[in-house]
Amino acid sequence: MSVDGGSGPLLEARKVSKYFGNVNALEDVSLKVGAGEVTCVLGDNGAGKSTLIKILSGVFAPDAGDYLFEGEPVDLAGPRAARALGISTVFQDLATVPLMSIWRNFFLGSEPTRGLGPLRRLDVGRAREITRNELRKMGIDVRDPNQTVGTLSGGERQAVAIARAVYFGARVLILDEPTSALGVKQSGVVLRYILQARDRGVGVVFITHNPHHAYPVGDRFVLLNRGRVIGDHAKSEVTREQLVREMAGGAELEALTHELQGVVQA
């Protein structure tokens, strides 16, 4: 589902490349992210996913190719510049502090205040209420915003990070393997949060190695292998089984299956 009304992608990478010495980490990688869409970037370890995340989030500058936001070329000076445009990245470590409360983690240095000048002070009540309301929108009913983030499940911590990004104006939300360390049930919870962010008009980039997690929520699938795009499909153009086969290498997977059958029969 897209809510951008066909006005063009929010974020676009065109033939982006990145080199580290003689290593081609990315070569001519292109992708588009529309408002209210989930673009899934799939690939195994070493496919180039981490390098792509760092380019999209402003950590790395591409060595070749173009990076556009709302159709205009941009040259990000760093992650702060990306966030100023509304490009927010949730990395695997989530940037949360386990021993701090949920509401403190939700704001992390951007807490609301009241009063002026030397009388300005933290508005704890408002911060707690905002945290509770924003998490409720994501489907989590927090009874006590004062409880520490470390007491939450992995899926709930992902929800805090996603809700925080959306609240602070994320128009594009980049998620780095958000389900990689979670069980089946918690992964399902996180996938629901991804859909809720999409339904609020956010363009989501879902980085994952798991096509079974990507397919239920994705609108477009970009497959990477050794830094190159090996597939780019709209959901209507591909089945989950085809994604699995393409990621696994197609003919290579068939050859391995045949070999294993021979071993079992022997």
Side-chain angles (χ1 to χ4, degrees):
M1 182 185 73
S2 173
V3 296
D4 67 354
S7 59
L10 275 176
L11 181 153
E12 182 177 2
R14 294 180 182 169
K15 293 186 176 298
V16 165
S17 299
K18 185 66 181 177
Y19 313 114
F20 297 99
N22 294 325
V23 177
N24 295 355
L26 292 178
E27 186 75 32
D28 292 337
V29 171
S30 298
L31 64 79
K32 297 179 180 180
V33 184
E37 292 181 344
V38 179
T39 297
C40 299
V41 179
L42 297 111
D44 286 327
N45 292 338
K49 303 191 303 296
S50 296
T51 302
L52 180 60
I53 290 172
K54 290 175 181 177
I55 288 176
L56 297 180
S57 60
V59 176
F60 292 158
D63 293 321
D66 298 309
Y67 187 0
L68 298 90
F69 189 79
E70 293 189 317
E72 297 293 329
V74 293
D75 185 10
L76 299 178
R80 188 185 298 268
R83 287 193 297 270
L85 288 176
I87 303 168
S88 182
T89 303
V90 178
F91 291 100
Q92 290 188 53
D93 60 11
L94 298 180
T96 56
V97 183
L99 295 180
M100 288 176 61
S101 66
I102 296 173
W103 71 266
R104 290 303 296 266
N105 271 279
F106 188 88
F107 286 96
L108 277 182
S110 300
E111 293 84 357
T113 59
R114 57 182 176 178
L116 299 173
L119 298 179
R120 190 173 66 173
R121 59 194 183 280
L122 188 64
D123 193 340
V124 176
R126 183 167 170 238
R128 291 172 179 166
E129 189 62 23
I130 289 172
T131 300
R132 184 182 289 112
N133 289 339
E134 292 301 312
L135 288 176
R136 187 177 296 127
K137 292 177 185 177
M138 298 296 292
I140 289 185
D141 186 12
V142 176
R143 292 186 297 274
D144 182 10
N146 285 318
Q147 74 182 90
T148 59
V149 159
T151 64
L152 300 179
S153 69
E156 289 170 334
R157 288 196 295 273
Q158 285 284 351
V160 172
I162 293 171
R164 179 176 66 197
V166 173
Y167 175 75
F168 282 104
R171 301 179 63 196
V172 175
L173 179 61
I174 303 169
L175 302 174
D176 176 19
E177 297 274 8
T179 61
S180 64
L182 303 180
V184 174
K185 183 176 181 180
Q186 287 300 319
S187 294
V189 170
V190 172
L191 296 180
R192 185 174 72 242
Y193 300 147
I194 291 173
L195 291 178
Q196 289 173 347
R198 181 199 69 179
D199 291 345
R200 293 173 69 175
V202 177
V204 180
V205 182
F206 177 19
I207 312 288
T208 181
H209 65 275
N210 192 328
H212 299 286
H213 291 172
Y215 195 78
V217 300
D219 297 296
R220 176 162 290 277
F221 307 93
V222 177
L223 284 76
L224 293 181
N225 185 22
R226 298 182 181 179
R228 291 181 176 271
V229 174
I230 60 171
D232 187 347
H233 312 288
K235 190 165 192 172
S236 60
E237 301 170 346
V238 68
T239 66
R240 180 170 58 185
E241 290 69 27
Q242 288 171 324
L243 279 182
V244 173
R245 175 183 170 84
E246 201 165 343
M247 281 191 65
E252 295 179 15
L253 180 61
E254 288 185 358
L256 177 61
T257 301
H258 181 73
E259 181 181 333
L260 290 176
Q261 287 176 343
V263 171
V264 171
Q265 291 172 358

